[in-house]
Amino acid sequence: MTDQTPVLRLEGVVKTFPGVRALDGVSFDLRPGEVHALMGENGAGKSTLMKVLGGIYDPNEGQIYIAEEPVTIASPMQAKARGVVFIHQELSLADELSVAENIWLGELPHKSFGRVDWKKLYDETDAILKTLNVGFDARTRVGDLSIANQQMVEIARALTVDPRAVIFDEPTASLTDAEKVVLFEVIADLQSKGVGIIYISHRMEEIFKITDRISVLRDGGYRGTLNTAETNEEEVTQLMIGRKLDLSRNESHHELGDVALEVRNLSCGKLFEDVSFSVRRGEVVGFYGLVGAGRTEIAETIFGLRDPSAGQILLNGEEVRIHSPMEAIARGISLVPEDRKGQGLVLGMNCRDNMTLPQVDDLTAGPFVSDGAEVAIFDQYRDKLDIRTPGWRQIAGNLSGGNQQKIVIGKWLSMHPEVLIVDEPTRGIDVGSKSEIHNLIRDLAAQGYAVIVISSEMPEVLHVSDRIVAMFSGKVMRTFTSEEVTEDSLIQAISGLEGDKVA
Amino acid sequence: MAPEKRKDLLKQGGIWGFIVLELAFFSIAGEYWAVTDKAFMDFENMLLLLKQSAPIGIIALGMTIVMINGNIDLSVGATFALAAIVLLDSMTWPFMQNLGDWAIPLAWCFALLTGVILGAINGLIVWKTGVDAFIVTLGSMLGFRGLVFMYNGEQPTSHLNWTLVDFAEAQFLGLHTATWFLFGAAVILWLLMTKTLHGRNAYAIGNNREAAVNAGIRVGPHFLWNFMLIGFLAALSAVVFYSESGSVNPNDGMLFELWAITAVVLGGTKLTGGYGSIVSTMGGVIAIQLLRKGLGHIGADTSTVNLVIGLILIAVLFMDRQLNRKGKEELKV
């Protein structure tokens, strides 16, 4: 393979921003027909590198070669014209437009006078969609599709040209297993046509399943390329974070208290049906399932954001009806939401104000907000959670993902909850901070909180939970203890393969 | 999919249902309270209604495109007045007077060119500075209005050309000249928005600007074209209106931008962009004019008319919000 000309080669690419060297002499090459993983913690420079390739940033130094021809790329369109196609992690779709228009956005086929050639557009789109084996057609409005299907639309965009190199940025973040299979087929198909593929992902199991080589970035610098067949997760992780990662399952159990929260036969329309479970003090219950299995919706119902259509919620053995988040907070339930930046934080506000947001009404001195009381609360939880920030005046948006998440957790802890629900606690957080958050969750349980963790990552669920509730399409399939659970049985349960329920 | 489709139909057909409701209401209410003996649904009356909706209607069509694009243009009223002044005043220039009736098409061209240039100024500023269109056109609204006053002080600018008046008052196949211009503009813009690259890109930009940029659509020039288009339409509206009246006050066209926006929003176009249609805006324009005329028909004064239109606008937006909700299972935020 080494004698082939690389489809894409980077040589000593440097990109600096005021005060930061975001990329520090990155070089690697992408060969035709290979899947090349690009890994690194958040902030390691992956997205900067992609933006340089996409012509959004101009590199300060270094050279990009496409098929050994030195090029300068000034826009994503130029990149695409040269056969370098991006599939973005964050959906970049216009949801009022049809699937076809989105796929061909910016290059709709047209006739004279700029008239859109609808027939050609729909025919070609349907042909592409057929290869992707999806259940919608070219005329569907994108806004009517599920997130996973929208991701498939994004992927379909790469197939409109004859690409030399396709760059997938976390493509499986919102795909179900079945859809992943299709995606991997698409990748294999591109591979067989001699297309080079850069695959960015945090998910080790995928990386080891489909890639040929792995390049690792850390702190903007290139740390080396490994042949996937000759390496293992540990080596890659070490290269990424410079130390080992704990992937074991949870062994220790804390002393369990009374049942803090019990849910009986809870339903909410078609979102989830007949859900029953209980959480004791000092226990972490993990909810595992595919995206759309109804996990987040259960949390939102308990937190009073949705009205259940049937069933009971019991707090400390007493039946309660919760109609709003305010009531939930007053009864000691806190929800750390899935979308940290959108739902959890006011990014433009400083750390202290974010943390005291739910109780600022009570922190008054006369008619004014009491600065002292606010700072005291912030200091307390900064120390408790080890939040690394230069001071409370720091704007929350400037913190790293892990520290942001700690601010959100601190915010809810300061409300003295009994039940803490954490939805996707480590989404978009780098590997190093992940284990910190995991330890924090275990600690909180040890202190007597009843904790519910919702996660789509199996290692995370295995690692933090005392018990695991497996969900499939709005139903609880099985509840495992951390001793009895195996990866196989868990996957079977969340895929709906396990018929018999064990409570 | 079926309930989705029904909802879509309800959203798009809503404005026409509202028009039918208005017609029914004013016809029946007119029986009891009418200040004249004529029936409301009189054919002549309806033709007049279309003619009267033309000035704001033509502007509202352009506003639809600018709003689908995710922008707004508050300067159309001032553009309208300035184009009108150019139209009327240019016909008094000596070399124009020597041309006889050939001065008319030339004066039109001057007026339309004025509109295009003013629109281009807006578009260029929005493109090159990246300042929000709301602020840019708020500024140009004041600035253009200042130009209007500089032209002739507080005095009205007048010039009556009878050939022009005859043309403007003509009826072809029963419809007035102004109505023909309104319908013509509507058809052309409808084709533009549904059939052409430019139109589809306008939706894409308004819907998700970042996606459009990533896809290589040149957003700045696109904005420029649309601002030039609405400037042209504001001037066209002035040409149609002042060919007949022959006299322009420096305060003419004030609040036109707000009436146009009201019509566009009533028609269901989103303020945030990315969604809307020319056909629905036509519905909005006709609905407002019906309301004005109908309330006049049953003896209400202008202030009542404004109050009612305001209330209806808020009610419509509230209903639209309800339609967009996803039923009982939805998040309560």
Side-chain angles (χ1 to χ4, degrees):
Chain A
M1 251 171 76
T2 36
D3 53 333
Q4 287 171 306
T5 38
V7 283
L8 188 67
R9 190 158 68 84
L10 299 173
E11 215 176 73
V13 171
V14 173
K15 174 71 196 170
T16 55
F17 296 106
V20 193
R21 211 167 162 85
L23 286 179
D24 192 4
V26 175
S27 314
F28 78 99
D29 63 309
L30 178 67
R31 297 172 193 151
E34 80 164 339
V35 180
H36 195 133
L38 190 63
M39 299 196 72
E41 292 188 277
N42 288 346
K46 284 173 302 180
S47 29
T48 314
L49 185 63
M50 289 308 109
K51 283 181 177 160
V52 167
L53 274 178
I56 294 165
Y57 293 153
D58 235 359
N60 301 73
E61 286 170 41
Q63 183 63 52
I64 302 168
Y65 299 89
I66 294 177
E68 286 304 287
E69 200 182 310
V71 291
T72 39
I73 300 171
S75 75
M77 273 331 270
Q78 273 191 18
K80 196 167 182 177
R82 291 183 188 276
V84 178
V85 186
F86 292 84
I87 291 160
H88 298 277
Q89 166 192 16
E90 270 154 44
L91 295 168
S92 179
L93 298 169
D95 53 9
E96 292 288 354
L97 300 187
S98 69
V99 168
E101 284 178 279
N102 268 289
I103 291 176
W104 296 88
L105 194 64
E107 46 189 4
L108 296 173
H110 58 91
K111 301 184 279 193
S112 56
F113 303 113
R115 286 174 303 147
V116 177
D117 191 343
W118 292 107
K119 189 178 175 321
K120 190 175 169 203
L121 175 67
Y122 288 138
D123 287 351
E124 292 191 1
T125 310
D126 279 331
I128 292 172
L129 292 178
K130 213 173 157 200
T131 65
L132 286 175
N133 203 8
V134 289
F136 52 88
D137 71 356
R139 290 159 206 260
T140 317
R141 205 178 68 101
V142 165
D144 293 335
L145 296 175
S146 67
I147 298 285
N149 276 336
Q150 291 185 5
Q151 182 79 54
M152 296 308 275
V153 173
E154 190 83 42
I155 289 165
R157 276 182 175 172
L159 307 178
T160 61
V161 289
D162 247 343
R164 277 204 183 97
V166 181
I167 296 155
F168 289 90
D169 190 359
E170 296 257 10
T172 55
S174 53
L175 294 190
T176 62
D177 283 350
E179 285 158 333
K180 273 183 206 170
V181 172
V182 177
L183 172 69
F184 293 157
E185 273 168 17
V186 171
I187 290 178
D189 189 43
L190 287 170
Q191 237 180 319
S192 67
K193 287 180 192 155
V195 178
I197 287 154
I198 296 181
Y199 191 88
I200 300 172
S201 176
H202 282 126
R203 301 193 178 182
M204 289 285 185
E205 76 268 19
E206 285 170 14
I207 300 276
F208 279 91
K209 195 166 157 194
I210 67 164
T211 67
D212 300 308
R213 291 192 298 161
I214 302 172
S215 285
V216 178
L217 294 179
R218 186 168 84 224
D219 302 328
Y222 171 74
R223 300 289 163 195
T225 300
L226 304 165
N227 281 327
T228 310
E230 296 158 14
T231 184
N232 55 35
E233 294 190 12
E234 221 167 301
E235 193 180 356
V236 174
T237 312
Q238 255 179 330
L239 212 51
M240 274 167 66
I241 62 175
R243 59 190 154 85
K244 283 191 185 178
L245 182 72
D246 182 10
L247 272 170
S248 62
R249 77 183 59 169
N250 175 44
E251 303 282 354
S252 68
H253 291 292
H254 312 295
E255 203 172 318
L256 297 187
D258 303 333
V259 174
L261 173 76
E262 189 177 354
V263 167
R264 284 186 198 153
N265 308 101
L266 197 67
S267 301
C268 180
K270 287 179 198 141
L271 296 171
F272 57 88
E273 288 167 66
D274 200 17
V275 169
S276 306
F277 65 90
S278 65
V279 192
R280 305 169 84 95
R281 287 175 205 285
E283 185 181 40
V284 179
V285 174
F287 272 74
Y288 186 61
L290 301 171
V291 172
R295 297 162 302 160
T296 300
E297 288 75 8
I298 294 177
E300 285 166 348
T301 308
I302 296 172
F303 197 55
L305 280 165
R306 292 177 196 271
D307 287 325
S309 52
Q312 299 166 296
I313 299 171
L314 290 86
L315 269 177
N316 299 323
E318 181 192 337
E319 188 179 349
V320 290
R321 292 219 156 263
I322 297 165
H323 299 286
S324 72
M326 260 179 315
E327 282 182 45
I329 293 167
R331 290 182 183 277
I333 302 174
S334 287
L335 172 67
V336 175
E338 178 176 24
D339 178 5
R340 182 173 61 249
K341 291 180 179 173
Q343 304 168 329
L345 287 170
V346 185
L347 290 175
M349 261 173 27
N350 67 42
C351 295
R352 179 200 67 183
D353 291 354
N354 261 302
M355 195 176 280
T356 55
L357 199 57
Q359 52 179 330
V360 77
D361 282 351
D362 304 323
L363 298 174
T364 49
F368 303 109
V369 173
S370 159
D371 262 4
E374 280 195 286
V375 174
I377 289 177
F378 174 75
D379 285 345
Q380 183 189 346
Y381 287 95
R382 182 194 58 199
D383 297 342
K384 189 169 174 180
L385 306 182
D386 189 25
I387 299 169
R388 266 157 273 158
T389 154
W392 63 259
R393 286 185 182 81
Q394 184 70 17
I395 302 297
N398 294 343
L399 296 182
S400 72
N403 281 315
Q404 283 180 354
Q405 189 66 287
K406 287 183 190 170
I407 297 256
V408 184
I409 293 176
K411 172 170 85 175
W412 291 115
L413 289 183
S414 71
M415 297 305 289
H416 307 294
E418 292 174 16
V419 179
L420 184 67
I421 307 172
V422 197
D423 196 355
E424 299 286 359
T426 61
R427 172 172 291 178
I429 288 178
D430 58 64
V431 185
S433 315
K434 258 184 190 177
S435 57
E436 264 185 58
I437 298 272
H438 293 161
N439 292 338
L440 177 63
I441 289 171
R442 291 300 309 165
D443 283 350
L444 292 174
Q447 291 162 30
Y449 294 104
V451 185
I452 296 176
V453 173
I454 299 170
S455 178
S456 303
E457 290 177 45
M458 189 185 288
E460 177 164 287
V461 176
L462 291 176
H463 190 55
V464 302
S465 316
D466 296 300
R467 280 189 300 138
I468 297 170
V469 177
M471 288 200 65
F472 170 72
S473 136
K475 294 192 182 68
V476 173
M477 298 307 288
R478 241 188 107 168
T479 306
F480 300 91
T481 64
S482 66
E483 282 78 23
E484 68 183 1
V485 68
T486 64
E487 290 182 23
D488 286 344
S489 60
L490 196 51
I491 291 209
Q492 278 185 355
I494 64 154
S495 314
L497 297 174
E498 193 73 291
D500 53 332
K501 257 199 265 183
V502 182
Chain B
M1 263 309 140
E4 282 290 335
K5 285 239 168 79
R6 211 178 315 135
K7 224 180 230 180
D8 256 18
L9 207 66
L10 203 58
K11 268 169 92 172
Q12 278 157 14
I15 187 70
W16 302 104
F18 182 61
I19 288 173
V20 171
L21 202 72
E22 278 182 295
L23 285 173
F25 175 80
F26 289 123
S27 299
I28 295 165
E31 293 291 316
Y32 301 98
W33 300 316
V35 282
T36 64
D37 292 338
K38 276 173 102 180
F40 183 67
M41 282 274 266
D42 181 69
F43 185 64
E44 285 296 315
N45 199 23
M46 290 298 118
L47 284 183
L48 196 60
L49 177 133
L50 287 175
K51 181 188 173 187
Q52 287 165 340
S53 28
I56 287 182
I58 292 174
I59 296 177
L61 294 173
M63 191 69 84
T64 310
I65 297 176
V66 172
M67 281 172 66
I68 285 173
N69 222 182
N71 288 326
I72 203 157
D73 189 347
L74 298 179
S75 68
V76 283
T79 306
F80 173 84
L82 204 57
I85 288 179
V86 170
L87 172 78
L88 297 181
D89 198 61
S90 68
M91 282 191 284
T92 65
W93 299 342
F95 85 94
M96 293 280 278
Q97 282 182 320
N98 294 338
L99 288 174
D101 277 347
W102 282 108
I104 295 172
L106 206 57
W108 282 11
C109 286
F110 286 145
L112 294 174
L113 194 65
T114 309
V116 171
I117 291 170
L118 296 181
I121 293 173
N122 281 332
L124 272 175
I125 297 176
V126 171
W127 172 11
K128 292 298 179 190
T129 65
V131 176
D132 196 78
F134 184 91
I135 303 297
V136 171
T137 57
L138 184 67
S140 58
M141 172 179 90
L142 298 171
F144 295 168
R145 185 63 68 179
L147 290 178
V148 171
F149 277 97
M150 278 158 72
Y151 210 90
N152 222 350
E154 303 280 336
Q155 303 303 314
T157 308
S158 308
H159 179 80
L160 215 50
N161 179 321
W162 290 108
T163 320
L164 196 52
V165 174
D166 282 346
F167 172 77
E169 286 187 339
Q171 276 173 290
F172 178 65
L173 298 179
L175 297 176
H176 296 95
T177 309
T179 313
W180 279 109
F181 272 95
L182 176 64
F183 284 175
V187 169
I188 291 170
L189 295 180
W190 176 75
L191 288 171
L192 177 77
M193 291 310 280
T194 55
K195 306 282 180 204
T196 70
L197 286 183
H198 182 85
R200 299 321 293 174
N201 286 349
Y203 281 98
I205 291 171
N207 201 206
N208 188 340
R209 189 160 160 185
E210 209 182 317
V213 173
N214 281 340
I217 296 174
R218 299 190 63 206
V219 173
H222 189 95
F223 284 169
L224 178 62
W225 280 113
N226 284 337
F227 274 108
M228 283 162 69
L229 183 64
I230 193 174
F232 176 86
L233 289 166
L236 183 69
S237 167
V239 164
V240 169
F241 187 73
Y242 289 100
S243 290
E244 187 171 1
S245 91
S247 173
V248 51
N249 253 304
N251 277 322
D252 280 6
M254 277 214 182
L255 295 187
F256 268 34
E257 54 280 345
L258 298 187
W259 285 113
I261 293 168
T262 308
V264 174
V265 171
L266 264 183
T269 298
K270 275 191 193 163
L271 272 169
T272 45
Y275 182 85
S277 86
I278 292 290
V279 178
S280 309
T281 294
M282 280 300 284
V285 168
I286 291 170
I288 286 185
Q289 197 58 33
L290 259 178
L291 210 56
R292 284 174 146 183
K293 241 183 144 42
L295 288 169
H297 183 67
I298 60 174
D301 54 15
T302 325
S303 44
T304 320
V305 173
N306 287 349
L307 177 66
V308 171
I309 294 180
L311 288 174
I312 285 177
L313 182 66
I314 293 170
V316 164
L317 287 179
F318 175 70
M319 285 192 308
D320 182 58
R321 204 182 129 75
Q322 292 300 309
L323 272 181
N324 283 327
R325 284 172 57 126
K326 291 186 179 130
K328 280 186 95 178
E329 295 162 15
E330 204 210 12
L331 270 177
K332 299 184 281 188
V333 174

